[in-house]
Amino acid sequence: PIIKMNAGRYAVDLTVGASNGLSAVQWIKDRVNEFVAMRPLILVLKKLLKTHHLDDASTGGCGGYLLVSLVVSHLRQSGEPGRSANPNLGALLLGFLRRFGYDFDYARMAVAAGRPSGVIRGKDLVVGPGAFGRRPMILAEDPQETGRNITGAAYRFKEVRALFRAAAEAMSAEGELTFLREMASPAPASSRGPQAPPSSQPSGGVGARGGPSWLRDKRSFSLKRPREEGASVEARAPNKKGKSPPNKKGKPPPKTTKSQKKANNKANKNPATWTPQKARVMADKARIAAGGKSNKGVKKSPRIAAKKKSRGGWATE
């Protein structure tokens, strides 16, 4: 368990029942010295998560230890760019957002910041039920304890992944860093301990149904140009039997007069106006009317001997 408290202007988390707290601090310091890009990436991502109230593990968000594991895993998987002494921070940040917003296989893989590869198979972790009896969406191995999962309380990580997707698309479209403040929802209500997610509705802002506003309105993630103000798609009423749908101006097509119908019937009876397909159909009808047999459905093959009397098809030699 974690005890949260405020010490002046600092927020303090006290871990109870864990013996690897000091070693975890030293491990983080060692990774900061190993990866030059780690510190700025974590600060930017913390700001992004805090803007959308997804930085607190007690409310199901992405806590600091999990975020450090994600960044270290990403830098390990990035190879040489992640270890560069003069890294391209913009490319690494966009790669992080795309990796954990789109590419990462949450169903089969787990984050493993303590391993050289940065990832392991999810089945190699000992995963118990989460805070509310569910398997966490994301799995991450504790760098200090092999095989132990540290994401049991991150039940809102689906919203975190959606935020990473939105930030990646906005950054790709605008070419600069953005925290998407216009899509941020109100902070969740404070409570003692983790907040249980509603049974029928995902967690979200005040008066919201289906999660935060930026998560509900999927259209805000699209890079396509929005419709002009006032433009809309008019819903068509179901057509009554025997009536054609209206044209673009809202007026029905002109009715066919009797003289036009007679002209059409006369043209249908004139062989000179027939298409090759219609000519074959009319010849087949004339043959049947004269007592002959239709060639429709006959397979032209020398192996065909006779037609079965039953509905079984054709018999071959």
Side-chain angles (χ1 to χ4, degrees), residues 2 15 32 86 89 114 126 139 188 207 220 240 285 305:
I2 297 178
T15 304
V32 170
N86 187 21
L89 296 178
V126 178
L139 303 178
S220 61
K240 296 182 180 180
K285 289 182 179 181

Side-chain angles (χ1 to χ4, degrees), residues 105-169:
D105 188 355
Y106 291 95
R108 295 188 299 175
M109 304 301 294
V111 174
R115 300 178 185 249
S117 62
V119 292
I120 58 174
R121 296 179 301 178
K123 63 181 181 180
D124 294 338
L125 284 182
V126 178
V127 183
F132 307 103
R134 306 174 182 174
R135 175 193 180 277
M137 174 185 170
I138 182 173
L139 303 178
E141 184 184 44
D142 188 349
Q144 304 301 311
E145 187 176 342
T146 303
R148 175 176 172 267
N149 182 49
I150 61 173
T151 63
Y155 62 84
R156 295 178 64 196
F157 198 85
K158 187 175 182 180
E159 299 177 29
V160 176
R161 181 182 65 172
L163 176 60
F164 288 162
R165 288 184 178 182
E169 291 192 8

Side-chain angles (χ1 to χ4, degrees), residues 154-209:
Y155 62 84
R156 295 178 64 196
F157 198 85
K158 187 175 182 180
E159 299 177 29
V160 176
R161 181 182 65 172
L163 176 60
F164 288 162
R165 288 184 178 182
E169 291 192 8
M171 190 173 178
S172 299
E174 300 176 9
E176 60 184 10
L177 177 63
T178 174
F179 294 110
L180 304 174
R181 290 185 177 88
E182 67 278 3
M183 294 192 292
S185 296
S190 59
S191 64
R192 295 181 180 273
Q195 297 177 349
S199 58
S200 60
Q201 301 175 4
S203 57
V206 179
R209 292 182 178 270

